[in-house]
Amino acid sequence: MDLALLRTFVTVHRAGSFTRAAALLGLSQPAVTSQIRTLERQLGKPLFLRQARGVTPTTIGDELAHKAAPHLDALVEIAESGLDDDSSLRTLHLAGPPEFTAERALPALTELTGDDGQGFALRASFGTAEETLEGLAAGHHDLAISTARPRGALLTATPLCDEEHVLVAAPRWVERIGAEELRLKGAPALEDLPLVEVHESLPLVSHYWASVFDSRPAASGTIVVPDLRAVLACAIAGAGLAVLPRYLCAPALAQGTIVTLHDPAVPPLRTYFLVVRTGTLAMSHVARAHEWLLRAAASWG
């Protein structure tokens, strides 16, 4: 079986589209289509179902990708390592949520970017869980940090750490409501407070309300901004209540610029996963970053 055909097949499988695969491979779309048809004729079975937007792999297609992708990635690693001279650095492409990646992952990985013979260059991009997993599957990233565990055999996920969520606001809101009323009434005492969130759907607040109060928030977002660091800044400024990761707001809590509005016996948690394309941990720079982040997470607590 022609390895070039397999490489094109795996790229299409990861990209979910002949058009995106052609761009990644530097080929024309007709050339990619022709190669896939050739491989399907050789196998005597269809590998993809053509749809209005992109393609979906058949069961045979998924099985072939699961078997072939790790070996192709390993061959690429061997070829690229053989072409690199001693002074060159491999580049690790990392993707993840902006706050967690900036505050935790990148500071940990900077220790691996030195010129010690095993270091690598680092490129980072931010996005939602869906965006980072799609980019990883398409080959745009080497390693992704995600709050969603991917399905299927193409991507492999390892739990990285749990993130505790806390309900916070500026002290004046506690003074306005009253600490005793908050303790006695719980969620109903918070219904009239403005909310600061990262999305109109109120993902963090809704998760907190469901986990702690077994209800839904009554209010809508007063300020919606897609970065938790901006949410924290708005909460400190007194814009309203917010649900934030404890690691992100711990300094502000220690300084008293915000306070916790509720201390549940079991706080809501969110799990982060380290995700790679199956088989790519055979690549030394990906494996080293993966192991280093797992070690660093043990101290994040």
Side-chain angles (χ1 to χ4, degrees), residues 93-165:
H93 295 271
L94 172 72
E99 311 85 6
F100 187 90
T101 305
E103 299 289 331
R104 290 199 146 170
L106 288 175
L109 289 176
T110 53
E111 297 183 46
L112 300 182
T113 58
D115 188 13
D116 63 353
Q118 300 183 56
F120 50 74
L122 182 60
R123 301 291 183 269
S125 60
F126 302 143
T128 64
E130 181 180 5
E131 291 167 345
T132 56
L133 293 180
E134 286 182 355
L136 179 65
H140 300 310
H141 318 306
D142 301 311
L143 182 63
I145 299 170
S146 172
T147 54
R149 184 190 287 272
R151 297 179 180 179
L154 184 62
L155 301 178
T156 299
T158 304
L160 177 61
C161 65
D162 289 329
E163 170 186 271
E164 179 187 345
H165 285 177

Side-chain angles (χ1 to χ4, degrees), residues 92 109 112 120 143 284-294:
L92 179 81
L109 289 176
L112 300 182
F120 50 74
L143 182 63
S284 59
H285 66 306
V286 177
R288 193 172 183 217
H290 189 274
E291 180 183 2
W292 196 267
L293 284 173
L294 289 175

Side-chain angles (χ1 to χ4, degrees), residues 131-214:
E131 291 167 345
T132 56
L133 293 180
E134 286 182 355
L136 179 65
H140 300 310
H141 318 306
D142 301 311
L143 182 63
I145 299 170
S146 172
T147 54
R149 184 190 287 272
R151 297 179 180 179
L154 184 62
L155 301 178
T156 299
T158 304
L160 177 61
C161 65
D162 289 329
E163 170 186 271
E164 179 187 345
H165 285 177
V166 291
L167 180 63
V168 300
R172 71 180 183 90
W173 289 108
V174 177
E175 296 169 3
R176 173 177 165 178
I177 300 169
E180 185 64 14
E181 184 173 1
L182 271 175
R183 187 183 69 81
L184 293 174
K185 292 186 176 180
L190 305 171
E191 288 182 356
D192 296 329
L193 270 67
L195 302 178
V196 187
E197 254 283 15
V198 293
H199 192 271
E200 296 287 353
S201 63
L202 308 181
L204 300 183
V205 172
S206 294
H207 177 61
Y208 191 98
W209 252 243
S211 300
V212 175
F213 301 126
D214 194 24

